[in-house]
Amino acid sequence: MSRLLAAALTVALAAALAVGAARGVVALLQATPDQPGTPLITYEHAGQGG
């Protein structure tokens, strides 16, 4: 009976760790990074052919 209890506790712990890891990954993926307000490309002479 002791082995059965140990196996059940191991399964429960593994499931809890898996759920916690999944929640952490989802939280990281939904985090929005700070985006700077400066554009990477600027056109100083827009409208002039070149």
Side-chain angles (χ1 to χ4, degrees):
M1 195 62 153
S2 175
R3 286 187 180 186
L4 183 61
L5 181 61
L9 289 176
T10 303
V11 169
L13 180 63
L17 286 174
V19 169
R23 285 179 162 250
V25 168
V26 168
L28 285 175
L29 289 176
Q30 289 181 351
T32 55
D34 293 336
Q35 297 182 1
T38 58
L40 297 176
I41 300 173
T42 57
Y43 297 100
E44 303 214 1
H45 302 290
Q48 295 181 1

